[in-house]
Amino acid sequence: MGPPPAEPAAQPPWQRLSPRMLLVHPVHEVLQQIPLLIGAVVLGSATGNAGWTFAAIGLTVAVGVARWFTTSYRIEAGEVRLRTGLLQRKVLSVPRNRIRSVSTDARLLHRLLGLTVLRISTGQEAKGDTEFALDAVQAEQVPRLRAILLADAVPVADAPAGRELARWQPSWLRYSPLSFTGLAMIAAAAGVIYQAGIGAVLQDSELAQSGIAAAERLGGLVSVVAVGVVVLVASVVLSVLRSLLTYGNLVLRRDSDILHLQHGLLRLREHTYDMRRMRGGTLREPLLVRAFGGARLDAVMTGVGGEGEASLLLPPCPAGTARKVLAELIDHPGAVDARLVAHGPAATRRRWTRALTLPLIVGVVLLVAGVPPWAWVLWALLTGCAGLLAADRARSLGHLVHDGWLVARAGSLERRRDHLDTAGIIGWTVRQTLFQRRAGVATLIAATAAGEKRYEVIDVPAEHAWSVAVAASPWVADNAWAAGPAGPDLR
């Protein structure tokens, strides 16, 4: 008789989240269900029965409490599971070898109770039921869980102190007003007020009537200027305040192959990345931020989105700081500071043509319409700004292939300089529009599994496009269809 069959290995037990979350989730449920609660208040007032309000609040709190009893997780040898659901049970399973990063997020109430939300990212966009989030675990358990979840990573609890790459400075706040964040917040608030019907109520209020009377006394022009100044000041204050609360106390640190990013004053966020998945970085330099010597640094990393907060390593800060940190991360200062190869006169002409087409059309319309002289002053200002924009875009355009790195720069209002490890490039595309074909230029697109997935080298001379691809990825030359100086037929 043969040996008895081996017994299956015992699975680790299901674990519950911290009981302290019973103090967190009811509060969050109430805040999330404010529209429902308002409806209950209105219904109670209309029927004269306040029980509707208490019933809605009680049901909301009960749902928040029930989440603790119905949520559990288990870390197995090959995967991690999350079990949730009250009426409909759901089990979310994530293979541990697919985990790309671990992040934590602790709002003020979480921090007061010593809790945090731990999120696992596999590189795919996940929201709602597909997001793996443990809300909430005890903060002191996070280092151990992070070390377990990041497969083959250096254990965080036992890792050396590492090296601090950057720390937030109060002087960085000077770049905050140079974005449109404050205006966007004001516009969003105005939209909410309008949608909620509060604007109609305020329109007949004493405050509104006093404002209209003051505007009539000051005159139309002065009133418009005064409102503009108030909006501008409010925008600056909101932008600075948001930047301070979001990025204050930011620390970027590298411990061996682990990259840590922590930031936030009231709401503390922490991201942990595996450096072995890093494929480069992007320096973003909006026009106004660049004019004051600033830049933002984003990571190009497998499993991390290339836009928004997910990829951010440094908010707008001195450009020298951003370049220094990028050079340390990719361990190649030459790629960060190297002079780029210009794309030639054809690409420059395209910048000027595209910038001056609109002013030219407007000028013809003004000439036919016979407008007053002040309109021509505005047209001259428009044309001058368009010319400056064209010159800056032409000066910004360039690329370089150097020691295993592809560098591409383009843009003016939102200039960016991408640094991509050529070892991570998995495909190349040469694209030509009708106007590009007439100008003899092409856009070279490098495909990669990291960041934005595709990075463009805009308006390179068409006859050199495939030469750039071969220089970055020699395997391109091994394909028969790419043989020859011009590569494949671009028609």
Side-chain angles (χ1 to χ4, degrees):
M1 297 180 60
E7 296 184 1
Q11 295 289 353
W14 290 94
Q15 304 179 53
R16 292 195 184 277
L17 301 175
S18 172
R20 301 176 199 166
M21 69 176 287
L22 293 173
L23 301 175
V24 177
H25 283 296
V27 176
H28 286 175
E29 290 291 341
V30 169
L31 294 177
Q32 293 175 3
Q33 302 301 328
I34 285 180
L36 174 63
L37 298 178
I38 292 177
V41 171
V42 173
L43 180 61
S45 301
T47 60
N49 184 2
W52 288 104
T53 302
F54 294 108
I57 295 176
L59 179 61
T60 303
V61 172
V63 170
V65 171
R67 291 182 62 181
W68 183 80
F69 294 97
T70 58
T71 302
S72 57
Y73 69 97
R74 185 168 71 186
I75 302 177
E76 302 176 2
E79 60 186 0
V80 55
R81 296 171 178 262
L82 177 64
R83 188 168 60 184
T84 59
L86 179 60
L87 301 178
Q88 181 180 1
R89 300 293 288 171
K90 301 175 184 177
V91 178
L92 179 61
S93 178
V94 176
R96 289 176 59 179
N97 60 2
R98 296 290 299 170
I99 297 176
R100 298 294 182 261
S101 65
V102 175
S103 62
T104 62
D105 185 0
R107 294 184 174 91
L108 182 58
L109 184 56
H110 285 87
R111 297 181 66 183
L112 292 176
L113 296 174
L115 302 175
T116 187
V117 182
L118 187 143
R119 291 186 173 88
I120 296 174
S121 174
T122 62
Q124 303 295 326
E125 184 177 2
K127 294 181 179 180
D129 294 338
T130 63
E131 181 184 35
F132 198 108
L134 302 181
D135 184 6
V137 298
Q138 296 182 24
E140 57 267 22
Q141 295 182 357
V142 170
R144 180 182 63 84
L145 291 174
R146 183 186 291 118
I148 296 174
L149 294 172
L150 287 176
D152 301 324
V154 177
V156 177
D158 302 326
R163 185 172 72 259
E164 185 179 289
L165 302 179
R167 179 178 290 271
W168 183 85
Q169 302 294 328
S171 60
W172 293 9
L173 290 175
R174 67 179 183 268
Y175 301 109
S176 304
L178 305 178
S179 66
F180 297 101
T181 304
L183 291 177
M185 295 172 66
I186 293 175
V192 170
I193 292 174
Y194 175 79
Q195 291 293 335
I198 301 177
V201 176
L202 293 177
Q203 185 176 0
D204 299 328
S205 66
E206 183 178 350
L207 178 63
Q209 297 301 324
S210 300
I212 294 175
E216 292 177 350
R217 291 195 302 270
L218 296 175
L221 180 59
V222 176
S223 299
V224 170
V225 172
V227 171
V229 170
V230 171
V231 171
L232 180 61
V233 172
S235 172
V236 170
V237 172
L238 289 175
S239 297
V240 172
L241 184 61
R242 178 187 178 276
S243 180
L244 176 63
L245 295 178
T246 304
Y247 303 117
N249 290 335
L250 178 144
V251 178
L252 181 65
R253 189 180 74 254
R254 179 175 181 176
D255 299 334
S256 184
D257 286 332
I258 300 297
L259 185 66
H260 298 280
L261 174 64
Q262 177 179 308
H263 60 87
L265 291 182
L266 300 181
R267 183 177 182 178
L268 182 64
R269 300 182 182 182
E270 185 173 356
H271 305 272
T272 304
Y273 306 106
D274 188 347
M275 280 294 299
R276 293 167 299 178
R277 305 186 188 279
M278 190 163 191
R279 298 294 180 264
T282 297
L283 290 172
R284 300 181 184 272
E285 303 172 291
L287 181 60
L288 293 179
V289 174
R290 177 159 43 101
F292 286 84
R296 161 181 160 161
L297 176 61
D298 286 6
V300 178
M301 186 174 294
T302 304
V304 178
E307 295 183 351
E309 297 296 320
S311 63
L312 181 140
L313 295 181
L314 292 179
C317 62
T321 300
R323 287 194 295 266
K324 179 182 178 182
V325 171
L326 177 58
E328 291 192 40
L329 290 176
I330 67 176
D331 195 22
H332 199 297
V336 178
D337 299 324
R339 183 182 181 89
L340 303 183
V341 178
H343 289 183
T348 300
R349 285 196 300 271
R350 276 176 55 82
R351 309 276 87 71
W352 283 93
T353 300
R354 296 169 67 178
L356 295 180
T357 297
L358 178 61
L360 179 61
I361 295 175
V362 172
V364 173
V365 172
L366 294 180
L367 185 62
V368 173
V371 296
W374 62 264
W376 287 105
V377 175
L378 296 178
W379 176 83
L381 292 175
L382 173 64
T383 305
C385 292
L388 293 175
L389 178 65
D392 189 49
R393 294 187 65 210
R395 184 170 55 252
S396 299
L397 199 61
H399 76 277
L400 180 69
V401 178
H402 180 66
D403 287 347
W405 288 91
L406 170 68
V407 182
R409 188 179 65 188
S412 177
L413 297 179
E414 183 67 39
R415 192 172 80 175
R416 54 183 293 165
R417 178 174 171 135
D418 299 311
H419 305 74
L420 186 63
D421 187 354
T422 57
I425 297 176
I426 58 178
W428 290 92
T429 301
V430 174
R431 185 188 66 196
Q432 280 188 305
T433 65
L434 175 62
F435 295 106
Q436 283 181 313
R437 293 178 64 181
R438 293 176 61 88
V441 297
T443 296
L444 185 62
I445 304 172
T448 177
E452 297 179 9
K453 314 302 182 185
R454 47 180 287 159
Y455 291 86
E456 298 183 348
V457 186
I458 301 175
D459 284 357
V460 295
E463 64 273 15
H464 296 153
W466 284 106
S467 299
V468 175
V470 170
S473 304
W475 51 264
V476 173
D478 297 335
N479 295 278
W481 51 265
D489 187 358
L490 295 175
R491 290 177 295 176

